[in-house]
Amino acid sequence: MMLCMKVLRKKMRPDWDEYFIGIAKAVSARATCLRRKYGAVITKDNIIVSTGYNGAPAGMKDCLEVGKCTRKELQIPHGERYELCHSVHAEANAIIRASVDELRGATIYIAGSDSSERECVSEPCMMCKRMILNARIAKVVYSDGRNGFKVIDPKKWLKKRV
């Protein structure tokens, strides 16, 4: 009977990672990118300390307002030539809105979807990986593109050098 109750409770209530990745998906709805929408949530001790989504820097017109994406017009594949993009990444926006103390030992959750609103793999790019490491974030949880997620210790990124 006790095992049955635990299974039932699990189905009725998401664990913390499921809960916060769901919130990251909701945050991504605010993104202003025409190609992909990403959301990030930073938590510490299961309390949200910051959120961010990809979009133009504060005070600048975003791709939705302008009605075009430079990288899309130039047919640049996903993951390449980010220097041509006008948007700030979701991870960066979340990091800059949190204090150093809130970031140290925190968890960042990242989720996104493509222009067809299909969930996509949301592993951080190299630039965001460096920011996450520099912020001393201890755990990264990102969408695997199949309605699940991957959990990573960002220190493991240091073991793979180019």
Side-chain angles (χ1 to χ4, degrees):
M1 180 67 170
M2 185 61 137
L3 179 61
C4 183
M5 290 300 290
K6 284 183 181 180
V7 170
L8 181 61
R9 182 171 184 234
K10 173 71 175 159
K11 288 181 182 179
M12 293 174 53
R13 189 169 189 227
D15 67 23
W16 287 111
D17 288 342
E18 292 167 331
Y19 175 68
F20 289 123
I21 203 81
I23 293 172
K25 289 176 185 178
V27 170
S28 75
R30 291 280 307 151
T32 60
C33 178
L34 294 169
R35 288 178 97 175
R36 294 193 178 212
K37 296 178 178 292
Y38 288 100
V41 176
I42 298 175
T43 67
K44 191 160 187 180
D45 301 323
N46 294 326
I47 297 169
I48 296 172
V49 297
S50 182
T51 65
Y53 52 86
N54 58 318
M60 293 186 68
K61 286 189 176 185
D62 59 56
C63 295
L64 292 177
E65 286 180 273
V66 175
K68 70 177 194 169
C69 169
T70 303
R71 290 177 64 239
K72 189 174 185 176
E73 285 181 348
L74 296 173
Q75 298 179 342
I76 297 170
H78 174 72
E80 296 179 18
R81 304 289 315 269
Y82 284 127
E83 73 275 9
L84 298 174
C85 181
H86 296 276
S87 289
V88 178
H89 289 190
E91 301 93 324
N93 274 322
I95 288 169
I96 64 174
R97 286 172 172 73
S99 73
V100 172
D101 291 333
E102 289 171 322
L103 293 169
R104 188 179 294 112
T107 300
I108 188 167
Y109 296 86
I110 309 153
S113 60
D114 63 19
S115 58
S116 301
E117 299 198 23
R118 289 185 305 251
E119 184 178 346
C120 56
V121 176
S122 302
E123 181 176 6
C125 70
M126 283 305 299
M127 181 178 63
C128 289
K129 285 179 178 181
R130 290 190 299 268
M131 282 189 273
I132 289 166
L133 285 163
N134 206 42
R136 294 186 171 91
I137 291 173
K139 179 179 164 186
V140 178
V141 181
Y142 65 88
S143 172
D144 67 2
R146 298 183 310 271
N147 209 26
F149 53 86
K150 293 188 177 195
V151 180
I152 303 289
D153 175 350
K155 289 179 185 167
K156 292 187 178 179
W157 289 330
L158 294 174
K159 293 181 180 177
K160 291 192 288 184
R161 302 287 300 230
V162 179

